[in-house]
Amino acid sequence: MRIAIASDHAAIELKSELVSWLTDLGHEILDLGPNSSVSVDYPDYGYKLASTVEQGIVEKGIALCGSGIGISISVNRNPKVRCALVSEPLSAALSREHNDANVIALGARIIGIETAKSCVTTFLKTDFAGGRHNIRVEKLTNPQIEMN
Amino acid sequence: MRIAIASDHAAIELKSELVSWLTDLGHEILDLGPNSSVSVDYPDYGYKLASTVEQGIVEKGIALCGSGIGISISVNRNPKVRCALVSEPLSAALSREHNDANVIALGARIIGIETAKSCVTTFLKTDFAGGRHNIRVEKLTNPQIEMN
C-alpha cells in the first residue's frame, strides 16, 4: 500500500521506526518530514499530510506528534480527510469500520512502539462497514448537508 | 463554568451521567442532545457543539460518541474549535497546555465513567501554556498561515 507519514519533532523517532517497519513489510512509504529534531509547528506537517491524502497520492496516512492531538486536529481541518487519534487497536478498528478513517494519528509520548504497530496493523487491514455509516461519513465530507 | 455537551445515541448514558455530575459541581450545562436512544448521525451533533463553542455561548464543550472518533472529527471541521479525543488524563492535560483545546471528546464504549470524569476534571482545570504553542494554535485557527 502507498502510505504517507508526517510528524513533528517530538515524534521523529517513532516516525523513523514505523517507516523502517512498514517498508520491510513491503509498503511504499512517503515520508513528509520533518527529518531532524529541530522544533517545528505540527500544523504545517498535518496540512501537508491531509493534502497528500486528499489528492490521492497515497491511500492512507499516519500522523504523529507528542500526544497525537495537535496533528490530528490539523489533519481534520481538511473535510476530505478523516483522521482518528487512537491509543489502542479496538479504536483503530472502529475508525475504519464506522468512520472510514484514511489517516491514523498516534501520540509518541503516550503509547509505546508495539502498541503503535498494533494500531497501524489493525488500521491497515480493517475495511469500512458501509451501511448506516455511509451517510455519517458523507456528512463529515460535506459539512453543508442538512441535519436530519 | 458554562459547558455545552453533545453526543450520539451510543453515548446518551455517559452524557446523562456527566451532566448530573457537572451540574452537582456547580457548572451550567447546555445539553445539545440527543435525548433518546433513537439512532442519529454524530456529525449533526458535532457541528452543533462546535458552532455553540465558536459563538462563545459556552467556554468549553464535551463531545461523546461510541469511540469518540466520529464526533471529534466533526467538531474539528470548524477551524475556530480545537477538539481533543482522549482516553486518559495526561492527554487531557496536554490538550489544554499545548493545544488550548476548547472541546474534549470521549469514547463511551472505550473508557469507563470514572476515567471519563478524571479526563474532564483535568481538562477543565488545566491552563494553556502559551509561549511556543501560540503560533501552532494560531495555525490551527487560520489554516492559511504559511508554512515556515
Side-chain angles (χ1 to χ4, degrees):
Chain A
M1 199 184 292
R2 270 184 77 82
I3 302 164
I5 190 165
S7 72
D8 73 353
H9 53 285
I12 53 162
E13 243 180 80
L14 176 60
K15 177 160 69 62
S16 164
E17 290 188 75
L18 292 178
V19 167
S20 297
W21 170 68
L22 289 165
T23 304
D24 285 351
L25 288 174
H27 297 290
E28 197 179 334
I29 308 301
L30 182 59
D31 184 346
L32 300 174
N35 294 310
S36 86
S37 57
V38 173
S39 179
V40 296
D41 298 333
Y42 53 78
D44 297 335
Y45 292 87
Y47 295 149
K48 193 159 43 159
L49 177 61
S51 160
T52 303
V53 172
E54 181 193 359
Q55 291 170 62
I57 297 168
V58 295
E59 280 178 70
K60 295 277 190 314
I62 301 174
L64 313 170
C65 70
S67 66
I69 296 168
I71 198 121
S72 67
I73 294 174
S74 61
V75 171
N76 279 321
R77 293 306 192 218
N78 185 325
K80 306 302 173 205
V81 180
R82 294 167 299 283
C83 175
L85 172 56
V86 310
S87 54
E88 28 68 35
L90 170 61
S91 288
L94 290 170
S95 81
R96 290 288 310 130
E97 288 169 6
H98 292 189
N99 311 107
D100 198 15
N102 44 18
V103 177
I104 187 172
L106 304 167
R109 291 171 173 160
I110 305 296
I111 61 173
I113 179 69
E114 294 307 325
T115 301
K117 286 180 181 176
S118 178
C119 290
V120 170
T121 298
T122 301
F123 175 73
L124 294 179
K125 78 176 180 201
T126 308
D127 289 327
F128 178 48
R132 70 187 187 282
H133 302 293
N134 277 313
I135 178 65
R136 297 165 189 167
V137 169
E138 208 179 313
K139 286 182 179 187
L140 289 180
T141 310
N142 303 289
Q144 70 282 6
I145 295 178
E146 294 247 329
M147 183 161 175
N148 63 17
Chain B
M1 196 185 291
R2 269 184 76 82
I3 302 165
I5 189 164
S7 72
D8 72 354
H9 52 285
I12 54 161
E13 243 180 78
L14 176 60
K15 176 159 71 63
S16 163
E17 290 189 74
L18 292 178
V19 166
S20 297
W21 170 68
L22 289 164
T23 304
D24 286 349
L25 288 175
H27 296 291
E28 197 180 333
I29 307 300
L30 182 58
D31 185 346
L32 299 174
N35 294 310
S36 86
S37 57
V38 173
S39 180
V40 296
D41 299 333
Y42 53 78
D44 296 335
Y45 292 87
Y47 295 151
K48 192 158 46 157
L49 177 62
S51 160
T52 303
V53 172
E54 181 192 358
Q55 292 170 62
I57 297 167
V58 294
E59 280 178 69
K60 295 277 191 312
I62 301 174
L64 313 170
C65 70
S67 66
I69 295 168
I71 198 121
S72 68
I73 294 174
S74 61
V75 171
N76 279 321
R77 294 306 192 217
N78 185 324
K80 305 303 175 207
V81 180
R82 293 167 300 282
C83 174
L85 172 57
V86 310
S87 55
E88 27 69 35
L90 169 61
S91 288
L94 289 171
S95 80
R96 292 287 310 130
E97 288 170 6
H98 292 188
N99 312 107
D100 198 16
N102 43 18
V103 177
I104 187 172
L106 305 166
R109 291 170 175 162
I110 305 296
I111 61 172
I113 179 67
E114 294 306 325
T115 301
K117 286 180 181 175
S118 178
C119 289
V120 170
T121 299
T122 301
F123 175 73
L124 295 179
K125 79 175 181 203
T126 307
D127 291 325
F128 178 47
R132 69 187 187 281
H133 302 293
N134 277 313
I135 178 66
R136 297 165 188 167
V137 170
E138 208 179 314
K139 286 181 179 186
L140 289 180
T141 310
N142 303 288
Q144 71 281 9
I145 295 177
E146 294 249 328
M147 182 161 174
N148 62 19

